[in-house]
Amino acid sequence: MNGLTLIQIGESDRLARLLAFAIGDLRVRRAGAADTTQLAGARVIFAVHVDAFGAPAQLHTLLRALRSHPGCLSGCIGGVIVDADGELYSKASAQALVFAANSAGCLFPGKPLVEGTGSLYNQHIFAKTQRLSLEQAYFTRARQLCRRVAEFTPPKFAQPKLLMLHASSNPGSNTVWMGRQTLARLPEAISTREILLQNGTVQDCRGCSYEACRHFAEGGRCFYGGAVTEQVLPAVQQADAVLLLCPNYNDAVSANMTAFFNRLTNLAVVRELWDKYVWAVVVSGFSGSDLVARQVLGAMCLNKAAILPPRFCLLQTANDPGAAAGAENIAAKLDAFAKNIADTLLA
């Protein structure tokens, strides 16, 4: 089993007890934000304490270090533990950290975040199913994460299948153009499929009970049916990787893509996406691509358990039709993005 590198930001009594339990007998070395340039190839646990007012200033120091050294975490595999005094700021801190670390080259296996809110109410489902106290559930999940990060081996495929999903029928879409340009650059060994999440055919999830959702999912169905159940979810299940095309709509993904995230629960209750990779292309007309990227990684990796490969997201600012095709260095960006996908997937 590989050893771990622990980067801890902030302190609390509960976090200290949790880390002692979670690490257990694993070999661990400690590093600070200033050591990020010496971490290539490491198995990294980021542990952050968030008080009632948010993350400490040291987290921003770490984020700046990661952003200013874009290759410093090449070959790293990471996990995140966030221990909070209250009910706010833990998820936002985690998303910012995962996005910065991923952009610096760190891979995250599915569900790489264990967070404890002040009340630990967010642990109540796991605690109930495992017959544990809230704190025992929290500590147990942190221990499981540390071992998963230490043991994780990214899957490779001889003939991988990649599914590209988008919700745009606009022939001038910059996002769709970039997605198709990416597919055109992939080796023939990677088979690809494109599905359009068309307006009016993607009904959002309305929140069935877990038992009802699982009942339908076990039969390969969803209560709401439609194109998602008949076409999209089976295609996701058959794919080894998903490429999401996400234009920026008011600093968020489109309504149909949000509905897709929500309806994925129907698949996740019987088979989470542990062995599937997720990539994204995010195009903003003005700014805010990082906000959309964080939403995608939050839904697909932190929640639905897809693997977040290094540098999972290609970001571009382009407003007018055709603007992406004329953007500076666009061919080199697309080449590098496609090469990243191929290098990650192919055995």
Side-chain angles (χ1 to χ4, degrees):
M1 183 181 293
N2 297 287
L4 295 175
T5 297
L6 174 65
I7 298 180
Q8 183 175 342
I9 303 296
E11 298 179 354
S12 72
D13 290 340
R14 189 171 73 179
L15 180 59
R17 290 188 291 107
L18 177 142
L19 290 175
F21 179 84
I23 292 169
D25 59 358
L26 294 176
R27 291 184 297 107
V28 65
R29 71 181 182 100
R30 289 181 174 265
D35 302 320
T36 53
T37 57
Q38 305 169 32
L39 295 179
R43 307 292 178 118
V44 184
I45 293 293
F46 300 94
V48 181
H49 174 247
V50 175
D51 66 19
F53 308 105
Q58 299 98 302
L59 178 60
H60 300 286
T61 300
L62 175 59
L63 295 178
R64 288 184 63 86
L66 295 172
R67 293 166 183 163
S68 59
H69 297 89
C72 65
L73 298 186
S74 294
C76 289
I77 295 174
V80 178
I81 296 170
V82 180
D83 186 66
D85 289 347
E87 306 302 297
L88 304 178
Y89 312 121
S90 56
K91 189 66 66 65
S93 299
Q95 287 187 355
L97 179 51
V98 170
F99 181 59
N102 179 262
S103 299
C106 187
L107 176 149
F108 289 89
K111 292 199 173 179
L113 169 65
V114 173
E115 57 171 332
T117 59
S119 67
L120 291 182
Y121 181 75
N122 65 317
Q123 303 295 328
H124 79 282
I125 294 178
F126 184 77
K128 181 179 179 180
T129 59
Q130 300 300 310
R131 300 178 185 272
L132 300 171
S133 70
L134 294 178
E135 184 170 287
Q136 287 172 334
Y138 179 33
F139 281 34
T140 298
R141 292 183 63 217
R143 187 166 194 163
Q144 291 172 345
L145 174 64
C146 287
R147 275 148 183 75
R148 190 148 45 86
V149 170
E151 297 172 355
F152 186 77
T153 299
K156 296 276 190 178
F157 310 92
Q159 295 181 306
K161 299 179 180 67
L162 185 143
L163 172 66
M164 185 171 80
L165 295 174
H166 65 89
S168 177
S169 56
N170 178 3
S173 167
N174 288 296
T175 320
V176 174
W177 179 84
M178 290 181 64
R180 290 174 177 164
Q181 286 292 311
T182 298
L183 297 190
R185 286 165 162 78
L186 295 176
E188 291 184 0
I190 301 177
S191 63
T192 63
R193 180 181 179 185
E194 177 181 338
I195 294 180
L196 171 63
L197 304 172
Q198 294 178 335
N199 290 333
T201 64
V202 182
Q203 187 172 5
D204 203 349
C205 175
R206 296 189 181 180
C208 291
S209 68
Y210 174 82
E211 291 77 12
C213 186
R214 186 177 183 88
H215 168 74
F216 284 102
E218 287 174 342
R221 299 173 295 131
C222 171
F223 178 80
Y224 300 101
V228 171
T229 302
E230 297 163 7
Q231 184 181 20
V232 179
L233 295 186
V236 172
Q237 192 161 5
Q238 294 163 12
D240 302 305
V242 179
L243 172 60
L244 304 177
L245 308 186
C246 303
N248 183 342
Y249 284 73
N250 299 305
D251 295 329
V253 300
S254 68
N256 278 344
M257 192 61 72
T258 298
F260 164 70
F261 292 158
N262 294 338
R263 292 286 295 276
L264 263 180
T265 301
N266 180 254
L267 177 61
V269 293
V270 292
R271 187 191 181 283
E272 290 192 285
L273 311 183
W274 297 105
D275 58 347
K276 303 182 188 299
Y277 291 93
V278 60
W279 278 274
V281 173
V282 175
V283 177
S284 292
F286 301 99
S287 63
S289 290
D290 56 319
L291 300 179
V292 178
R294 285 166 56 176
Q295 183 185 8
V296 174
L297 73 84
M300 293 296 294
C301 178
L302 304 189
N303 189 293
K304 294 298 188 290
I307 304 166
L308 198 72
R311 303 174 186 90
F312 91 103
C313 197
L314 177 59
L315 308 175
Q316 184 62 46
T317 302
N319 189 24
D320 299 331
E328 184 177 2
N329 297 324
I330 189 63
K333 288 183 178 180
L334 289 165
D335 287 345
F337 188 58
K339 184 178 186 301
N340 180 25
I341 294 175
D343 289 348
T344 300
L345 290 177
L346 287 170

